[in-house]
């Protein structure tokens, strides 16, 4: 029975790979709208059977928890600067230092636990010991939610329009809300996965969450002040991620902030299709070239390098994490 089940799984995987390759060949041959529709179809299939409960906690736990994830913190800080003109820079520095110390403690505990118990880290996670250690270190994770809510009180509501691509199940918006930032925004979030949007609407029924495709954003030029996206472009084909950059720049007046999790300071992309989506290693230079078509002020932050230089912490969990802030 085990052999037969494994064989069936392998056969399904091979069929998916053949199906995806054939679909992409058709898309490349026709280009334009057909290629974009095929890209969307494949991405939708990738998440077709994802359970809503799983999506609700996807990318918001562990090191990706927006409370301590440095890219999420930088995105919140950039939005706050747009609203207050930089009057809370000291608080931003304090929060970043706190997050760095949490990462430092977590990384040390992650190394120590396998040595203490004589098993590898996967077994530590399965046993629940990592979860317990994480919760112990993160005992005060709500600390800055209250501080920011108080600090931002008094700023005008709906003072900044923001559109977020691939918003997930309100992955970062829930922290905009928790930190007192949400009332200050005129926010729109969209995602290809219907279950994500259903989750987001259940949590925040009055907020504009919608099913949508970053390749074709249904908005006029300059409709929003800022666009955000986290961990998105690496999962798209080259034609799709170039189109996504163009669309995010088209619909914004001030700029675009994107967090990358697989960025390399190398001259060319490494394009890596995986069944229904991609796991590309993107070239910083090529992405900057695309943004330079639309934006005049482009800033890159290499997260691990920035943390090493500013805080003496060179052990951030993802050495390929970069953030781009591109202003018109």
């Amino acid at each position: 029975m085990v052999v037969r089940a494994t064989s069936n799984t392998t056969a399904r995987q091979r069929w998916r790979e053949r199906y995806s390759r054939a679909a992409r060949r058709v898309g490349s041959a026709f280009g334009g709208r057909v290629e974009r529709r095929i890209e969307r179809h494949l991405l939708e299939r990738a998440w077709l059977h994802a359970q809503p409960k799983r999506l609700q906690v996807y990318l918001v736990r562990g090191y990706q928890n927006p409370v301590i994830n440095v890219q999420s913190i930088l995105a919140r800080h950039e939005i706050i600067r747009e609203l207050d003109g930089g009057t809370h820079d000291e608080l931003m520095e304090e929060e970043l230092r706190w997050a760095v110390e949490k990462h430092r403690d977590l990384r040390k505990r992650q190394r120590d636990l396998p040595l203490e118990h004589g098993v590898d880290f996967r077994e530590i996670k399965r046993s629940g010991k990592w979860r317990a250690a994480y919760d112990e270190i993160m005992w005060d994770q709500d600390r800055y939610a209250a501080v920011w809510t108080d600090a931002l009180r008094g700023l005008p509501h709906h003072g900044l329009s923001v559109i977020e691509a691939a918003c997930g199940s309100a992955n970062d918006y829930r922290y905009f809300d928790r930190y007192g930032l949400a009332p200050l925004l005129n926010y729109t979030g969209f995602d290809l996965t219907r279950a994500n949007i259903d989750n987001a609407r259940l949590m925040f029924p009055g907020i504009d969450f919608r099913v949508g495709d970053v390749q074709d954003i249904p908005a006029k030029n300059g409709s929003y002040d800022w666009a955000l996206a986290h961990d998105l472009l690496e999962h798209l084909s080259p034609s799709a991620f170039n189109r996504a950059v163009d669309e995010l720049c088209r619909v914004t007046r001030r700029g675009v902030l994107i967090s990358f999790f697989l960025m390399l300071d190398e001259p060319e992309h490494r394009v890596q299709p995986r069944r229904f989506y991609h796991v590309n290693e993107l070239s910083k230079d090529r992405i900057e070239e695309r943004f330079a078509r639309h934006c005049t002020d482009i800033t890159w932050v290499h997260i691990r390098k920035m943390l090493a230089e500013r805080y003496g912490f060179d052990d951030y969990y993802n050495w390929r994490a970069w953030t781009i802030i591109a202003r018109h």
Side-chain angles (χ1 to χ4, degrees):
M1 290 295 291
V2 174
V3 173
R4 182 176 297 177
T6 302
S7 177
N8 288 340
T9 300
T10 302
R12 284 196 298 271
Q13 291 173 345
R14 288 174 178 168
W15 178 87
R16 289 168 183 158
E17 289 168 357
R18 289 196 298 269
Y19 178 88
S20 300
R21 285 197 297 268
R24 290 191 182 104
R25 283 197 296 269
V26 172
S28 297
F30 282 90
R33 186 175 298 178
V34 172
E35 188 173 22
R36 295 198 298 274
R37 288 181 63 183
I38 288 174
E39 179 91 14
R40 175 172 180 159
H41 166 71
L42 292 175
L43 290 168
E44 287 172 333
R45 287 188 66 92
W47 294 97
L48 188 62
H49 302 295
Q51 295 300 311
K53 285 185 177 180
R54 175 174 175 263
L55 291 173
Q56 202 160 25
V57 297
Y58 183 62
L59 297 181
V60 294
R61 285 183 169 178
Y63 294 113
Q64 294 169 321
N65 178 353
V67 170
I68 59 166
N69 182 273
V70 172
Q71 290 177 289
S72 290
I73 293 172
L74 292 180
R76 290 198 300 271
H77 287 181
E78 194 63 33
I79 292 172
I80 292 169
R81 282 195 190 94
E82 287 291 307
L83 289 162
D84 72 1
T87 60
H88 291 96
D89 283 356
E90 288 186 8
L91 179 54
M92 294 177 187
E93 177 69 12
E94 180 187 317
E95 182 183 17
L96 265 177
R97 286 187 180 277
W98 173 83
V100 166
E101 291 310 308
K102 293 299 181 184
H103 277 277
R104 201 188 304 271
D105 292 345
L106 288 168
R107 294 293 278 173
K108 182 178 185 303
R109 200 74 188 104
Q110 184 177 347
R111 289 191 296 270
D112 289 348
L113 280 170
L115 297 175
E116 291 172 9
H117 296 278
V119 296
D120 64 21
F121 186 65
R122 286 175 297 180
E123 181 57 34
I124 293 293
K125 290 184 74 173
R126 280 195 294 266
S127 70
K129 291 182 175 65
W130 172 242
R131 181 78 252 176
Y134 181 90
D135 289 343
E136 182 180 346
I137 291 170
M138 293 297 299
W139 66 272
D140 60 342
Q141 67 171 317
D142 293 328
R143 174 177 177 176
Y144 282 94
V147 173
W148 274 115
T149 298
D150 185 60
L152 298 176
R153 190 172 288 116
L155 289 176
H157 283 207
H158 309 296
L160 195 74
S161 57
V162 172
I163 185 167
E164 184 179 10
C167 63
S169 295
N171 291 0
D172 275 84
Y173 183 83
R174 65 182 87 170
Y175 294 91
F176 295 168
D177 180 71
R178 190 177 298 179
Y179 282 61
L181 186 54
L184 312 180
L185 306 178
N186 182 7
Y187 174 91
T188 297
F190 68 89
D191 197 282
L192 264 182
T193 305
R194 165 66 66 178
N196 269 328
I197 296 304
D198 289 343
N199 281 343
R201 288 173 174 170
L202 281 172
M203 286 187 279
F204 302 101
I207 303 303
D208 182 11
F209 287 104
R210 58 180 76 169
V211 175
D213 182 0
V214 72
Q215 299 178 96
D216 291 292
I217 302 174
K220 294 180 181 179
N221 295 352
S223 295
Y224 299 90
D225 292 316
W226 278 88
L228 306 175
H230 296 277
D231 300 352
L232 169 62
L233 298 193
E234 292 92 336
H235 291 313
L236 306 179
S237 67
S239 61
F241 62 64
N242 284 329
R243 170 80 176 185
V245 170
D246 295 344
E247 279 289 273
L248 292 170
C249 290
R250 178 185 67 80
V251 302
T252 51
R253 295 185 289 269
R254 299 194 193 179
V256 179
L257 186 151
I258 298 184
S259 300
F260 297 90
F261 71 100
L262 281 177
M263 175 66 68
L264 298 175
D265 194 2
E266 295 189 0
E268 300 299 334
H269 302 305
R270 297 178 188 171
V271 179
Q272 301 173 139
R274 301 278 178 84
R275 301 194 188 102
F276 297 134
Y277 58 97
H278 287 68
V279 185
N280 301 320
E281 296 177 329
L282 298 180
S283 161
K284 171 178 167 287
D285 292 344
R286 296 290 80 78
I287 292 295
E288 182 166 339
E289 282 181 359
R290 197 71 186 191
F291 271 102
R293 298 184 178 192
H294 313 280
C295 301
T296 58
D297 181 3
I298 297 173
T299 301
W300 285 99
V301 181
H302 183 202
I303 303 302
R304 181 177 280 189
K305 183 179 180 181
M306 180 271 288
L307 297 179
E309 291 176 350
R310 285 173 61 176
Y311 308 109
F313 176 63
D314 62 356
D315 194 28
Y316 192 67
Y317 79 102
N318 181 5
W319 64 271
R320 292 178 290 188
W322 290 72
T323 292
I324 187 172
I325 305 168
R327 297 176 181 272
H328 293 295

